[in-house]
Amino acid sequence: MVWCRCKYCIDRQTNGDRSKMPVANEKIPLIGVIDAGSRTVEFVVFRSQHTDEFVSSEVDVTTQTPQEGWLEQDPKEILQAMYKCVKAVAEMLPEKGYQISDIVTIGITNQRETTIVWDKTTGEPLYNAITWNDIRTESTVEKILAKLPDNNKNHFKPLCGLPVSPYFSALKLKWLKDNVPLVRKAYREKRLIFGTVDTWILWNLTGGVNGGLHITDVTNASRTLLMNIETLNWDPLLCHTFSIKEDILPEIRSSSEIYGYVKCGTCLDGLPISGILGNQQSALVGQRCLKPGQAKNTYRSGCFLIYNTGATKVQSSHGLVTTVAYQFGTSSTPVYALEGSVAVAGAAMKWLRDNMGMVKDVVKDTEELASEVMSTGDVYFVPAFKGLFAPYWRMDARGILCGLTAFTTKGHIIRAALESICFQTRDILEAMHKDCGFALSKLYVDGKMTQNNLLMQLQADISGIPVFRAQSQDITALGVAMAAGQAKGIAVWDMNAENHETVPVDTFLPTTTYEERDTRYTKWKMAVQRSLGWATTKKSVAMTDERYRLLSSIPGGLYLIVSFAMLALSEMNRR
């Protein structure tokens, strides 16, 4: 017999009368989650109303770097990894007394902004997936900025909540269309369709070329730089700006509804798919940061801090982006959030291992070696390998080590690398404080890097607030499991249950004084300033070319009249 004895499930099955407890072979409904992250693809199974993973399987996905700053993945490899994980889980479930048929629905969570284009008639990708942290589109950004008043990268923030940056999907899609002949040809012949990773997976799961559904959800759409943050539809002005036709874009739906059914020739066939969330929004839901004023930070290859602002769209004036946190159902009010993204977090530890040879085991060695020294010895490390994201948005920044002396050891450098993650998080917390008017009183955290106890203590000490670490490693997958399970027509997860199971947490309290924190943070800001302006860009060339085209479109007579008028005005002002 497999049966849940938690208070919620007992009350639900008996209407509060314990004498009516079922006694025979009743199983808890299972929810399957496809978690397609930046480095791995995972299939996780949860029991309804339970926060711990029941069964899971994970496969690494290769990231290719054909040029410096270019990061790609094979879309087919993502699918193959997913199918492999599903098969492994199907073989594990009988050991737990369950079958794959006990899964009642599927949810999808994914790395956001990563851009895939494929031929809808053949199902073949037209290029590798360009991942979220790829920066090849810097010249494309410059061409777009040249068309905007004052070259203002925040020009479209009132429309979509985002700055013009290589980070977001629209720039990657435009680059593909402009630079890859196969993509351009398919676009002209109306064979091309675009999607983020969730869309690619859903399209293939639901039939592919045989009627696959071309759908995304509001959280992923809000990261493309093409969706209107108010209407939650593709915005005509944004599509025109990036020269993208709306018919290649997926339909935007809520984060929790039945989109369709699996039809791909696997053991999942026939199951509904009822939840889609971008991975950071999914972690927000998994942490149950469902009230305005609650925030979470996820520590992975990058670092992502999201602050729930409820039904209010807060337009940041301090370098953060406005995004959709979730929308549970077609008729429900969307919930918004402020987000700050750090490009390099865990990736800095990988750099210490792979490029510098300072550590062998990232999780174990970074904590042990950094703990051998009591401080960084006044060393500061800004890991701006690909520029700086929020709140700076400076793609000309590059990594820098400051404060080295003859006594500096690798322990000091490793500790400085850990602290750089915490300082970047504080940068975002400071910006959120300025935008919202009050400071966070606590921070919920998750992600693989949170296994590092020293990192968590440093985060509490540098930010000056308690840090609550989720003991579960699958917070991201849990969030979309909750969304899929509570969808209309599924209803196996009650988000508002009074006796809901919570994720156990570990608490880290600050041990530093305000003066200590402020002094060190001031030096961090000095180090950041020294990292800016290192990378040379093609701004002048791109700007000149674009402005020449704009100037050449002005009639000659009008140009002469305006020029003489400006000269006359200048002469009058001089007198």
Side-chain angles (χ1 to χ4, degrees):
M1 179 176 69
V2 182
W3 177 53
C4 176
R5 295 182 178 272
C6 75
K7 185 178 186 302
Y8 170 80
C9 288
I10 291 173
D11 288 346
R12 188 178 181 200
Q13 295 177 71
T14 65
N15 292 322
D17 185 350
R18 300 298 181 91
S19 66
K20 296 180 180 178
M21 285 173 60
V23 293
N25 295 330
E26 296 197 29
K27 294 181 178 180
I28 310 166
L30 302 182
I31 302 165
V33 170
I34 297 163
D35 182 353
S38 300
R39 300 186 184 280
T40 62
V41 172
E42 189 173 15
F43 187 61
V44 187
V45 174
F46 293 90
R47 295 168 297 166
S48 173
Q49 298 295 148
H50 290 263
T51 59
D52 58 322
E53 72 168 39
F54 191 52
V55 176
S56 70
S57 177
E58 180 180 280
V59 172
D60 289 340
V61 176
T62 306
T63 298
Q64 304 168 29
T65 54
Q67 295 185 36
E68 183 181 356
W70 292 32
L71 294 161
E72 302 175 0
Q73 292 178 345
D74 182 351
K76 286 187 172 181
E77 185 182 351
I78 294 172
L79 292 180
Q80 291 163 1
M82 176 187 70
Y83 293 137
K84 186 175 181 179
C85 291
V86 168
K87 183 180 178 182
V89 165
E91 293 171 354
M92 296 177 195
L93 280 172
E95 299 175 7
K96 300 274 191 174
Y98 282 81
Q99 301 295 328
I100 201 79
S101 58
D102 293 315
I103 296 177
V104 298
T105 192
I106 299 293
I108 300 171
T109 184
N110 58 286
Q111 52 172 309
R112 306 166 306 166
E113 298 97 20
T114 295
T115 298
I116 304 175
V117 289
W118 66 98
D119 188 324
K120 64 183 178 182
T121 63
T122 65
E124 290 295 312
L126 296 167
Y127 194 81
N128 278 338
I130 300 180
T131 64
W132 60 273
N133 47 355
D134 180 287
I135 59 171
R136 76 183 68 190
T137 60
E138 285 181 332
S139 60
T140 308
V141 169
E142 297 299 342
K143 291 177 183 177
I144 296 296
L145 292 179
K147 299 177 182 179
L148 304 180
D150 300 321
N151 314 131
N152 181 10
K153 64 178 179 289
N154 295 317
H155 180 75
F156 295 121
K157 284 189 79 173
L159 267 183
C160 63
L162 310 176
V164 178
S165 164
Y167 186 19
F168 304 109
S169 306
L171 279 304
K172 305 177 197 299
L173 180 53
K174 181 170 174 55
W175 184 92
L176 285 165
K177 192 167 68 69
D178 292 346
N179 293 277
V180 181
L182 196 63
V183 172
R184 189 162 55 248
K185 186 172 186 291
Y187 182 80
R188 284 199 308 265
E189 296 174 358
K190 299 186 177 181
R191 293 182 286 109
L192 178 143
I193 52 177
F194 150 83
T196 42
V197 174
D198 58 306
T199 303
W200 169 246
I201 288 173
L202 181 70
W203 189 82
N204 281 280
L205 282 179
T206 55
V209 295
N210 298 311
L213 299 173
H214 191 213
I215 289 171
T216 190
D217 90 301
V218 289
T219 66
N220 281 291
S222 72
R223 311 295 297 184
T224 61
L225 233 174
L226 295 171
M227 189 191 82
N228 187 299
I229 200 76
E230 179 72 38
T231 66
L232 306 186
N233 293 316
W234 301 121
D235 189 89
L237 174 60
L238 294 171
C239 290
H240 175 75
T241 300
F242 295 101
S243 304
I244 294 168
K245 296 177 182 177
E246 288 188 45
D247 58 7
I248 74 167
L249 305 177
E251 179 187 355
I252 301 174
R253 302 275 281 272
S254 80
S255 308
S256 179
E257 60 177 280
I258 297 177
Y259 311 105
Y261 296 83
V262 179
K263 188 178 63 174
C264 62
T266 70
C267 58
L268 298 179
D269 276 15
L271 286 177
I273 302 170
S274 60
I276 301 175
L277 284 167
N279 55 7
Q280 301 312 318
Q281 284 91 336
S282 191
L284 185 79
V285 174
Q287 290 275 21
R288 294 196 68 86
C289 293
L290 305 176
K291 297 178 181 178
Q294 294 181 317
K296 71 88 202 174
N297 198 21
T298 298
Y299 299 76
R300 290 188 172 183
S301 56
C303 214
F304 308 90
L305 203 160
I306 300 187
Y307 178 96
N308 187 325
T309 61
T312 304
K313 295 177 289 297
V314 177
Q315 290 292 345
S316 174
S317 56
H318 297 91
L320 304 180
V321 303
T322 305
T323 193
V324 179
Y326 52 84
Q327 183 189 25
F328 290 151
T330 55
S331 60
S332 66
T333 302
V335 172
Y336 293 92
L338 279 175
E339 178 174 346
S341 302
V342 172
V344 178
M349 304 302 114
K350 185 174 180 290
W351 178 78
L352 291 175
R353 181 193 67 192
D354 298 343
N355 293 46
M356 306 305 292
M358 289 188 178
V359 297
K360 293 181 179 179
D361 184 312
V362 167
V363 175
K364 181 181 177 183
D365 293 350
T366 53
E367 183 167 2
E368 287 184 0
L369 292 170
S371 297
E372 291 178 358
V373 293
M374 297 303 295
S375 71
T376 66
D378 223 21
V379 172
Y380 291 82
F381 177 27
V382 183
F385 301 146
K386 304 169 191 173
L388 290 171
F389 283 2
Y392 305 101
W393 297 107
R394 290 289 297 268
M395 304 315 293
D396 62 348
R398 286 297 179 266
I400 190 168
L401 268 169
C402 298
L404 297 175
T405 70
F407 298 98
T408 300
T409 67
K410 69 178 180 180
H412 293 112
I413 294 173
I414 293 168
R415 192 177 182 106
L418 290 174
E419 287 195 354
S420 74
I421 300 168
C422 305
F423 280 123
Q424 290 179 93
T425 297
R426 176 163 173 180
D427 282 338
I428 296 170
L429 289 171
E430 294 284 332
M432 286 182 173
H433 181 191
K434 293 172 184 175
D435 282 330
C436 299
F438 54 89
L440 278 178
S441 60
K442 56 186 174 182
L443 181 65
Y444 294 95
V445 301
D446 60 86
K448 291 185 178 180
M449 285 200 71
T450 60
Q451 299 173 53
N452 189 317
N453 291 320
L454 176 61
L455 174 64
M456 294 296 94
Q457 187 58 57
L458 289 172
Q459 186 65 79
D461 289 343
I462 288 171
S463 60
I465 57 176
V467 171
F468 294 88
R469 176 180 65 187
Q471 291 181 6
S472 170
Q473 290 296 308
D474 292 297
I475 291 296
T476 299
L478 173 62
V480 80
M482 294 163 66
Q486 69 97 53
K488 183 178 180 181
I490 304 296
V492 296
W493 201 300
D494 185 354
M495 301 278 281
N496 301 311
E498 292 184 6
N499 301 308
H500 64 80
E501 186 173 297
T502 58
V503 177
V505 297
D506 300 313
T507 304
F508 297 83
L509 300 175
T511 60
T512 54
T513 65
Y514 174 81
E515 289 74 17
E516 290 170 337
R517 291 192 295 272
D518 194 53
T519 299
R520 301 216 60 223
Y521 186 57
T522 299
K523 284 198 171 183
W524 161 259
K525 299 290 281 187
M526 291 168 58
V528 168
Q529 288 302 312
R530 284 161 171 75
S531 76
L532 303 178
W534 280 92
T536 57
T537 69
K538 297 180 180 179
K539 179 175 180 178
S540 58
V541 176
M543 289 292 190
T544 301
D545 289 349
E546 190 63 38
R547 287 176 180 231
Y548 176 79
R549 284 192 289 272
L550 291 172
L551 189 61
S552 64
S553 66
I554 301 174
L558 177 61
Y559 175 75
L560 289 173
I561 291 171
V562 171
S563 298
F564 280 122
M566 292 178 68
L567 286 171
L569 183 62
S570 174
E571 184 66 22
M572 288 173 63
N573 288 336
R574 192 163 63 87
R575 291 175 180 176

